[in-house]
């Protein structure tokens, strides 16, 4: 008797793929969806061009499953108090309001898409990578290496394999960061006969890294060029190796659900990955007006309609006492205040708090949100570093994995392994001085600890300065990045879910009991965090 999970998994994949086909078919009335119960993939991918088209689109599968609005890009930013928005869209109001509540995992919840869509869309993309890799394997069995059909079609088989495996790993990695458990589903799985079980997030993460390492091995051993498969970018095989190393560093660090898991990371390995990673920001270029691939860089730059920068991110830079006063008040009395700071990315003048900084724009009013939903959702600034993307109707570069993110992993690694504090200071100063225009950090600064509050002050510890640089510089790059960082460092607001359950609709399909995480005192809710120590004692944030 076939394993029931396999049958149910095929049902999940069927509905996933039909949904994706439906999205791509808008405006195309002649789309025919064949019966998926017995698909003949040998026929479907018989031509080299079919396989090339399938695999070359798999980075888009990954990107849309994490950076698009309906995949929760904005949602994960607001629950990390990076952006602030009290609009109900995508579950932002429900899950970023305080006190935090548990995630509603009912299949009927109107905002379920922020957790359901990353699941469905990642598995849809994974299925595409698997189909492409299986088609290549069949072709290699049928034809000699000297007469490979993909080579004849002027596409390097090794490039196709490496690209498919890379994106297969990226999508499994995304699943491992978001969910408490997931399926591992690669090209070797036979859904008719193999058992397929939900596996815990750490195992899924390890499998994702294994897939990325397989892609890296192919790229390391071959010489090829990829053009147009990642929008606006051309990568050779060694570029891909560096990019993969950088993604492995991200997944290795960000999978941690708490400080203990974060501390247990192999930080020496992280240093090696960063040193052999990218040397320039990885920023795909969207040239299709109106496509809105990157929700954060579109809606996240609009302070008059959609969002503000959260005070929990920019407030620690305040030197006027306004932020401490804001924190000390009840939630309903936390009103907009002006920030005075020496960080020129936030405020452009040492004397006038209304002057725009390099990255943040002064608004100074309560903004577009109804005050009944909580004035703490307001702030004086919105982010503007990627304003060009909003102004150009979602056209332009979309920084997704930047060098500063990797520098901060290395700095953290050095602090956790008693490495060179001088090097830590150098890494921090690359942006602290050149972009923030502040006094440089020094290797003789206090080291501090990972529990230190974010701070830019000259007197702050290296840990505090690291947190500040990471928070400001990676603002609105990769969706979920601030959330993953905060949970691993114990900095999420109390009760915020540390991860999310298998979506309710999938649990119903699998015949499994529904469950969830989060809420103050609830299972999987972040412990007490954001403790601020001052002369009057400890004030809960």
């Amino acid at each position: 008797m076939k394993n029931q999970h396999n049958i149910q998994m095929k049902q999940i994949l069927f509905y996933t793929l039909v949904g994706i086909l439906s999205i791509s078919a808008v405006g195309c009335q002649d789309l025919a969806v064949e019966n998926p119960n017995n698909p003949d993939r040998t026929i479907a991918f018989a031509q080299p061009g079919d396989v090339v088209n399938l695999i070359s689109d798999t980075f888009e599968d990954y990107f849309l499953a994490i950076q698009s609005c309906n995949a929760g890009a904005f949602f994960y930013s607001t629950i990390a108090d990076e952006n602030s928005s009290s609009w109900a869209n995508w579950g932002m109001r429900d899950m970023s309001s305080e006190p935090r509540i548990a995630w509603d995992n009912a299949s009927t919840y109107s905002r379920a898409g922020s957790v359901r869509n990353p699941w469905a869309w990642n598995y849809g993309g994974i299925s595409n990578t698997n189909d492409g890799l299986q088609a290549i394997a069949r072709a290699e069995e049928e034809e000699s290496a000297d007469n490979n059909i993909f080579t004849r079609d002027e596409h390097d088989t090794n490039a196709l394999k490496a690209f498919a495996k890379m994106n297969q790993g990226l999508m499994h990695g995304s699943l491992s960061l978001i969910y408490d458990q997931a399926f591992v589903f690669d090209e070797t799985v036979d859904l008719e006969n193999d058992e397929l079980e939900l596996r815990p997030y750490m195992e899924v993460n390890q499998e994702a890294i294994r897939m990325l390492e397989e892609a890296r091995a192919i790229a390391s051993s071959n010489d090829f060029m990829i053009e147009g498969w990642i929008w606006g970018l051309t990568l050779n095989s060694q570029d891909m190796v560096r990019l993969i190393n950088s993604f492995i560093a991200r997944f290795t660090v960000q999978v941690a659900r708490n400080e203990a898991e974060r501390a247990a990371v192999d930080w020496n390995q992280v240093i090696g990955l960063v040193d052999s990673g990218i040397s320039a920001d990885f920023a795909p270029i969207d040239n299709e007006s109106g496509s809105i691939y990157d929700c954060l860089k579109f809606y996240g730059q609009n302070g008059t309609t959609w969002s503000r920068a959260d005070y929990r991110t920019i407030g620690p830079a305040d030197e006027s006492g306004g932020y401490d006063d804001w924190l000390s008040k009840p939630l309903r009395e936390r009103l907009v205040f002006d920030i005075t700071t020496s960080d020129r990315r936030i405020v452009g003048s040492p004397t006038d708090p209304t002057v725009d900084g390099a990255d943040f724009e002064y608004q100074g009013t309560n903004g577009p949100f109804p005050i009944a939903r909580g004035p703490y959702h307001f702030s004086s600034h919105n982010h503007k570093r990627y304003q060009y993307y909003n102004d150009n109707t979602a056209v332009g570069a979309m920084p997704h994995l930047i060098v500063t993110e990797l520098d901060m992993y290395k700095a953290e690694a050095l602090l956790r392994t008693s490495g060179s504090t001088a090097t830590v200071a150098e890494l921090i100063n690359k942006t602290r001085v050149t972009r923030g225009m502040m006094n440089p950090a020094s290797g003789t600064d206090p080291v501090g600890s990972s529990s230190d509050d974010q701070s830019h002050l000259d007197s702050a510890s290296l840990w505090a300065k690291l947190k500040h640089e990471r928070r400001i510089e990676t603002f609105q790059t990769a969706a979920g990045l601030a959330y993953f960082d905060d949970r691993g460092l114990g900095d999420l607001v109390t009760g915020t879910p540390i991860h999310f359950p298998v979506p309710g609709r999938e649990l119903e399909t699998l015949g499994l009991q529904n469950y969830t995480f989060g809420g103050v005192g609830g299972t999987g809710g972040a412990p007490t965090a954001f403790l601020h120590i001052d002369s009057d004692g400890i004030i809960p944030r």
Side-chain angles (χ1 to χ4, degrees), residues 71-364:
F74 222 107
F75 166 81
Y76 292 102
S77 180
T78 57
I79 63 175
D81 298 294
E82 179 185 47
N83 269 333
S84 185
S85 180
S86 66
W87 297 126
N89 305 67
W90 311 302
M92 293 188 298
R93 176 192 177 188
D94 289 352
M95 297 306 294
S96 70
S97 294
E98 297 181 47
R100 294 288 203 256
I101 62 174
W103 170 252
D104 184 349
N105 201 36
S107 61
T108 55
Y109 175 44
S110 61
R111 309 299 175 184
S114 289
V115 170
R116 183 176 62 228
N117 290 339
W119 177 278
W121 296 353
N122 273 304
Y123 278 118
I126 289 167
S127 182
N128 288 337
T129 66
N130 293 349
D131 285 344
L133 289 166
Q134 289 166 355
I136 292 172
R138 285 193 300 270
E140 289 179 332
E141 289 178 1
E142 295 169 0
E143 301 212 11
S144 69
D146 293 333
N147 195 30
N148 187 285
I149 60 173
F150 300 102
T151 301
R152 288 209 314 267
D153 200 48
E154 297 183 356
H155 289 284
D156 192 305
T157 307
N158 292 311
L160 291 165
K161 286 181 181 178
F163 197 70
K165 291 298 295 187
M166 180 184 78
N167 292 318
Q168 183 190 72
L170 293 182
M171 287 182 274
H172 277 91
S174 295
L175 292 166
S176 76
L177 299 188
I178 296 172
Y179 303 99
D180 69 310
Q181 56 182 337
F183 294 105
V184 174
F185 177 50
D186 66 12
E187 76 280 7
T188 68
V189 171
D190 179 357
L191 289 176
E192 294 291 334
N193 300 299
D194 293 343
E195 292 187 4
L196 197 61
E197 302 288 345
L198 288 166
R199 297 168 65 174
Y201 63 86
M202 196 62 78
E203 289 186 15
V204 179
N205 186 265
Q206 291 166 353
E207 289 296 306
I209 291 173
R210 174 186 61 80
M211 296 167 192
L212 289 168
E213 289 173 342
E214 289 179 12
R216 183 179 64 188
I218 297 169
S220 297
S221 303
N222 295 279
D223 185 15
F224 54 74
M225 188 76 68
I226 289 174
E227 186 173 2
W229 296 1
I230 298 176
W231 315 296
L233 302 182
T234 298
L235 277 71
N236 62 35
S237 52
Q238 295 310 303
D239 293 331
M240 182 180 285
V241 169
R242 288 187 285 271
L243 181 61
I244 290 170
N245 285 332
S246 301
F247 272 114
I248 293 175
R250 173 186 282 177
F251 290 138
T252 299
V253 173
Q254 302 294 14
V255 71
R257 265 47 175 186
N258 52 48
E259 167 59 25
E261 289 186 357
R262 183 103 167 192
V265 165
D266 186 343
W267 289 101
N268 287 314
Q269 180 189 39
V270 170
I271 292 172
L273 289 165
V274 171
D275 286 345
S276 57
I278 58 173
S279 58
D281 293 349
F282 174 65
I285 301 170
D286 188 357
N287 291 318
E288 184 179 346
S289 179
S291 56
I292 312 181
Y293 284 121
D294 198 322
C295 181
L296 292 176
K297 296 176 186 64
F298 190 79
Y299 291 108
Q301 310 293 303
N302 194 327
T304 59
T305 304
W306 275 102
S307 72
R308 292 290 174 88
D310 199 294
Y311 270 141
R312 291 195 188 275
T313 290
I314 61 174
D318 175 60
E319 299 166 12
S320 71
Y323 183 57
D324 289 338
D325 183 56
W326 185 85
L327 287 171
S328 69
K329 292 179 178 178
L331 288 169
R332 295 290 170 182
E333 297 177 19
R334 294 184 179 180
L335 304 176
V336 170
F337 68 91
D338 287 345
I339 293 175
T340 300
T341 180
S342 56
D343 190 334
R344 294 293 159 259
R345 292 166 294 192
I346 300 173
V347 176
S349 166
T351 58
D352 186 352
T354 69
V355 176
D356 292 349
D359 291 2
F360 294 88
E361 179 180 33
Y362 181 78
Q363 296 288 345

Side-chain angles (χ1 to χ4, degrees), residues 222-527:
N222 295 279
D223 185 15
F224 54 74
M225 188 76 68
I226 289 174
E227 186 173 2
W229 296 1
I230 298 176
W231 315 296
L233 302 182
T234 298
L235 277 71
N236 62 35
S237 52
Q238 295 310 303
D239 293 331
M240 182 180 285
V241 169
R242 288 187 285 271
L243 181 61
I244 290 170
N245 285 332
S246 301
F247 272 114
I248 293 175
R250 173 186 282 177
F251 290 138
T252 299
V253 173
Q254 302 294 14
V255 71
R257 265 47 175 186
N258 52 48
E259 167 59 25
E261 289 186 357
R262 183 103 167 192
V265 165
D266 186 343
W267 289 101
N268 287 314
Q269 180 189 39
V270 170
I271 292 172
L273 289 165
V274 171
D275 286 345
S276 57
I278 58 173
S279 58
D281 293 349
F282 174 65
I285 301 170
D286 188 357
N287 291 318
E288 184 179 346
S289 179
S291 56
I292 312 181
Y293 284 121
D294 198 322
C295 181
L296 292 176
K297 296 176 186 64
F298 190 79
Y299 291 108
Q301 310 293 303
N302 194 327
T304 59
T305 304
W306 275 102
S307 72
R308 292 290 174 88
D310 199 294
Y311 270 141
R312 291 195 188 275
T313 290
I314 61 174
D318 175 60
E319 299 166 12
S320 71
Y323 183 57
D324 289 338
D325 183 56
W326 185 85
L327 287 171
S328 69
K329 292 179 178 178
L331 288 169
R332 295 290 170 182
E333 297 177 19
R334 294 184 179 180
L335 304 176
V336 170
F337 68 91
D338 287 345
I339 293 175
T340 300
T341 180
S342 56
D343 190 334
R344 294 293 159 259
R345 292 166 294 192
I346 300 173
V347 176
S349 166
T351 58
D352 186 352
T354 69
V355 176
D356 292 349
D359 291 2
F360 294 88
E361 179 180 33
Y362 181 78
Q363 296 288 345
T365 63
N366 284 349
F369 314 127
I371 197 167
R373 296 183 180 183
Y376 58 91
H377 288 290
F378 308 142
S379 87
S380 55
H381 286 74
N382 65 270
H383 196 240
K384 68 165 191 174
R385 187 172 181 180
Y386 308 119
Q387 187 65 46
Y388 61 83
Y389 191 76
N390 182 286
D391 292 343
N392 293 331
T393 319
V395 171
M398 302 175 291
H400 183 64
L401 179 58
I402 64 173
V403 171
T404 303
E405 177 187 339
L406 298 168
D407 285 344
M408 295 304 100
Y409 293 149
K410 182 173 181 178
E412 181 174 350
L414 291 168
L415 290 177
R416 290 188 182 275
T417 58
S418 300
S420 168
T421 54
T423 302
V424 172
E426 289 174 7
L427 292 168
I428 291 171
N429 290 335
K430 286 171 67 174
T431 50
R432 174 182 170 86
V433 175
T434 58
R435 300 196 69 251
M437 301 180 69
M438 293 179 284
N439 294 327
S442 169
T444 60
D445 289 344
V447 171
S449 74
S450 63
S451 62
D452 287 358
D453 282 338
Q454 165 192 340
S455 177
H456 71 299
L457 295 175
D458 291 347
S459 59
S461 70
L462 289 173
W463 263 108
K465 290 171 182 171
L466 183 158
K467 282 188 175 184
H468 182 76
E469 288 309 300
R470 170 184 279 149
R471 195 72 157 161
I472 299 301
E473 286 294 319
T474 65
F475 199 105
Q476 295 184 342
T477 50
L481 192 60
Y483 168 59
F484 305 141
D485 258 323
D486 276 5
R487 74 175 174 199
L489 293 167
D491 286 339
L492 287 172
V493 166
T494 305
T496 305
I498 61 169
H499 49 206
F500 289 85
V502 175
R505 180 182 293 176
E506 275 62 43
L507 291 172
E508 291 177 2
T509 303
L510 292 166
L512 298 176
Q513 185 176 354
N514 204 340
Y515 67 99
T516 195
F517 299 107
V520 177
T523 300

